[in-house]
Each structure stands twice: as C-alpha cells, then as structure tokens.
Amino acid sequence: MMLHRLRLRWSLAVAAALPLGLAAGDALAQKAPPTPFTGIPTVPKTLPLFGHATVDGQVLAAATQGDAGQIDWIMAAGGNADEADQDGRTALMRAAMSNFAAVAQTLLQHEARIDLRDKLGDTALHWAAQTGSVAAMRVLLLACSM
C-alpha cells in the first residue's frame, strides 16, 4: 500500500510539472539527455583552406594601397567591389580620397556602385572633390555620364 501511494504521489508530481497537453512520454522525448558533445559550438558550412585567407576586407586594403592589379585577382576570387569599412567608406571612396584613378577605374569595371554614401552622407565623388583628387574625379565624372 505504501509503495502504491509513493508511485501515485510521484506520478502526480510529474504530471503537475508538465506543460498542459503533454504526456510524460512527450516530455521525455522533447528534452534529450545531456551528452559529452553538449556545448560544442557549431561549425560553419564552409571553412577556408589552411593557409588561404578569405577575401573579406582585401578589396578595401588593395584600394587603400592603390593596387589595381590586386583588385582584379580579389574580384576573381569572389571579392565584393562595394565592401565598406566601419565608417561606411567603400573601396571606391578610398581610391577617390587617395587619387588612385586606376583603382577607381578597375572598381567601376567590376560594377562598384558610384552612388553609395558613407555615414557622413558623402559619395566617392564628394571625397575626390574634398581631397583635390583630380584624376579620380575625372574617372568618376565619366562614369556618372554613362
């Protein structure tokens, strides 16, 4: 008799702890027991190969350095001509600031958008005019007229 009462109390306690509409078997099926693998972070679907960096940020770096040939390689590897830094300045804006006309031309050939604005509201043409980058302004104005 005592064992029967304990079983009854236990089953009532379990039933009270369950959300409405769930049976005891459903609750056990929903919560998996802990395993040694619990807490391991998920791995991204694609990982770069060892020794090969991703192309993120490389277009900006090449535009800042004035390396138009490197931009062609990066774009062939899947680079983004419109990637921007934390201030919203794109590679085209950086090329315009430094008067790198060849870089600006290369970026425009890879369909960089000339109408993008940074956090200050300036475009690449604004930056070229503010810094006196005449060669970059010519390239950008020619692209605007097409």
Side-chain angles (χ1 to χ4, degrees):
M1 184 75 161
M2 184 65 134
L3 184 61
H4 179 66
R5 285 185 183 171
L6 285 176
R7 283 185 186 167
L8 181 61
R9 285 184 189 168
W10 181 82
S11 58
L12 288 175
V14 168
L18 291 176
L20 294 177
L22 290 180
D26 293 337
L28 294 176
Q30 284 184 352
K31 185 176 179 182
T35 66
F37 301 109
T38 305
I40 294 177
T42 58
V43 178
K45 291 182 181 178
T46 58
L47 291 173
L49 297 174
F50 292 111
H52 296 319
T54 61
V55 294
D56 294 341
Q58 290 184 3
V59 174
L60 286 170
T64 303
Q65 296 169 359
D67 193 351
Q70 186 68 23
I71 290 174
D72 284 327
W73 283 96
I74 297 167
M75 295 304 296
N80 179 8
D82 291 326
E83 72 182 9
D85 61 10
Q86 66 274 9
D87 295 323
R89 295 188 185 122
T90 63
L92 188 60
M93 291 177 196
R94 287 190 180 185
M97 288 177 200
S98 302
N99 200 24
F100 294 138
V103 172
Q105 183 66 41
T106 303
L107 287 167
L108 290 169
Q109 288 172 350
H110 289 288
E111 299 179 4
R113 291 182 49 198
I114 198 168
D115 62 333
L116 293 178
R117 295 179 180 269
D118 62 6
K119 288 184 178 179
L120 298 174
D122 294 330
T123 64
L125 191 55
H126 287 124
W127 280 110
Q130 289 175 19
T131 56
S133 303
V134 177
M137 278 195 311
R138 286 185 181 136
V139 169
L140 294 170
L141 287 171
L142 183 63
C144 286
S145 67
M146 292 182 166

